Amino acid sequence: MSDVLKITSQSFEDGGNIPVKHTGFGENISPAFRLENLADNAVSIVIMLNDLDIPFISEYNHWIIWNIPASAEIPENILLNKTTPATLI
């Protein structure tokens, strides 16, 4: 059995609010992430920001960034282009 993937961010506290600069009300840039125990054969990563605190729906997806090259460190402000696209809602 492999170790569990652990994701942390120095951009915000665990369980805390995501800073405004990482939203459409601010600079709308992606936060930095650190991945521990990423599988050796991982090719790319997807990051989804789902909001579970909206009272009238069970889940709301704010944005998705996909095709991020597999790495233990994902920097802040990922450059979005044809190879690393995003859907920002």
Side-chain angles (χ1 to χ4, degrees):
M1 183 174 153
S2 65
D3 292 326
V4 174
L5 179 63
K6 180 179 179 183
I7 303 168
T8 56
S9 178
Q10 60 270 29
S11 298
F12 54 91
E13 292 186 32
D14 186 24
N17 292 329
I18 294 180
V20 172
K21 80 176 195 175
H22 299 295
T23 73
F25 296 108
E27 297 170 55
N28 205 23
I29 61 174
S30 59
F33 292 99
R34 179 173 184 76
L35 287 71
E36 294 179 36
N37 303 318
L38 183 64
D40 292 337
N41 61 347
V43 176
S44 65
I45 297 168
V46 171
I47 299 174
M48 298 173 56
L49 175 61
N50 288 341
D51 192 339
L52 306 177
D53 292 337
I54 298 176
F56 52 90
I57 59 174
S58 61
E59 185 174 342
Y60 179 80
N61 179 265
H62 286 280
W63 50 262
I64 302 169
I65 303 173
W66 67 94
N67 206 26
I68 302 166
S71 174
E73 297 282 338
I74 300 173
E76 182 178 82
N77 199 16
I78 294 172
L79 178 61
L80 302 177
N81 54 41
K82 289 182 181 181
T83 58
T84 308
T87 299
L88 303 172
I89 299 171

